[in-house]
Amino acid sequence: MSFTVIIPARLASTRLPDKPLADLGGKPMIVRVAERARLSGAARIIVATDHDSILAACARHGIEACLTRADHPSGTDRIAEVARALQLAPDAVVVNLQGDEPLIDPSLLAACAARIGADVPMATCAHPLDDAHDAFNPNVVKVVLDKHGRALYFSRATIPWARDAFAVNRATLPVAYSPLRHIGLYAYRNDFLQAYPALELSPLEGIEALEQLRVLWHGYPIAVHVTDAAPAPGVDTPEDLERVRRHFG
């Protein structure tokens, strides 16, 4: 399947100032992310940014980039602007790759894009959890699926709830119980991507602080690609940055 990867990259970051430009083995992080995306088989990779310094860094390394408005409320709005500027076809597939994922598995992008179809306007990814701490951690988002591999619900709570097993023990997960952790990688059909920013906010996303619940609340399906292994973590903290720097050595 042909798909375009758009990587939203804002310069501002409360925990890591100038994060997209952080040096990783001689190249800015945003360039490392784009280079991983190139390995996915994508037809095109574009960085969507709000700042000239990121635009210039991409140009120095031969990465296509597009300057966007600075006031977008989310990365989804930012990539929608770029998809419009590129005049992508309504049925074009757009993958939203976060700009702080320099170790992302490229095959995950292609697998996520492949889940888009005529009746599926949006897709994402997940992997099984085997650690009780993660299963009960509200910062680890979980998803439950229907028999077609589409999302029924996303939550910070432990879902599905193993009623009988958890009544006895919550220190370990029961045998044959593997909740799914949501991976924050998304693919969209472009016509839906353009319509998404105008969707009314849902009460569910306000309660859970999970934007993707807006899509389910409005009745649109989200297909979920389940991968066996957890992806390499992204860069959110100074400690994450040092860990990734050691990888690029």
Side-chain angles (χ1 to χ4, degrees), residues 45-65:
I45 297 98
I46 306 104
V47 171
T49 184
D50 64 346
H51 205 277
D52 287 330
S53 61
I54 297 176
L55 201 70
C58 289
R60 285 195 298 271
H61 292 273
I63 303 297
E64 185 178 3

Side-chain angles (χ1 to χ4, degrees), residues 7-242:
I7 307 169
R10 291 176 62 248
L11 189 67
S13 172
T14 54
R15 286 182 290 185
L16 279 175
D18 300 344
K19 180 166 68 168
L21 301 178
D23 182 82
L24 297 179
K27 294 180 181 180
M29 184 188 304
I30 191 62
V31 171
R32 293 292 189 184
V33 175
E35 289 177 340
R36 294 297 286 174
R38 279 177 173 168
L39 301 176
S40 70
R44 195 172 182 181
I45 297 98
I46 306 104
V47 171
T49 184
D50 64 346
H51 205 277
D52 287 330
S53 61
I54 297 176
L55 201 70
C58 289
R60 285 195 298 271
H61 292 273
I63 303 297
E64 185 178 3
C66 180
L67 196 63
T68 69
R69 288 167 34 200
D71 60 347
H72 284 303
S74 72
T76 310
D77 296 85
R78 195 173 306 281
I79 70 167
E81 179 188 344
V82 173
R84 285 194 301 275
L86 296 176
Q87 297 184 322
L88 296 180
D91 62 350
V93 177
V94 177
V95 172
N96 179 356
L97 172 61
Q98 297 305 307
D100 56 6
E101 299 279 354
L103 301 179
I104 190 76
D105 178 359
S107 67
L108 205 57
L109 279 64
C112 187
R115 295 302 305 271
I116 299 296
D119 60 340
V120 179
M122 181 172 170
T124 190
C125 301
H127 73 87
L129 287 172
D130 57 11
D131 181 84
H133 178 267
D134 287 339
F136 289 102
N137 184 349
N139 295 316
V140 176
V141 178
K142 276 72 68 174
V143 59
V144 290
L145 311 182
D146 68 12
K147 68 177 183 178
H148 302 294
R150 298 179 181 181
L152 288 170
Y153 193 68
F154 296 86
S155 183
R156 297 181 181 279
T158 308
I159 55 173
W161 182 258
R163 185 196 64 174
D164 295 340
F166 289 156
V168 176
N169 175 32
R170 298 187 193 178
T172 59
L173 297 181
V175 175
Y177 170 82
S178 294
L180 293 174
R181 171 184 172 253
H182 175 234
I183 300 169
L185 175 71
Y186 296 99
Y188 306 88
R189 201 176 58 228
N190 186 39
D191 55 356
F192 179 74
L193 175 61
Q194 299 306 319
Y196 176 81
L199 291 178
E200 177 189 358
L201 273 63
S202 76
L204 292 176
E205 70 179 298
I207 293 169
E208 295 261 18
L210 296 174
E211 186 180 307
Q212 63 271 34
L213 288 173
R214 186 186 319 174
V215 178
L216 298 182
W217 190 77
H218 282 279
Y220 295 99
I222 301 176
V224 181
H225 168 74
V226 179
T227 181
D228 292 335
V235 178
D236 291 318
T237 66
E239 293 76 19
D240 293 336
L241 181 58
E242 290 308 311

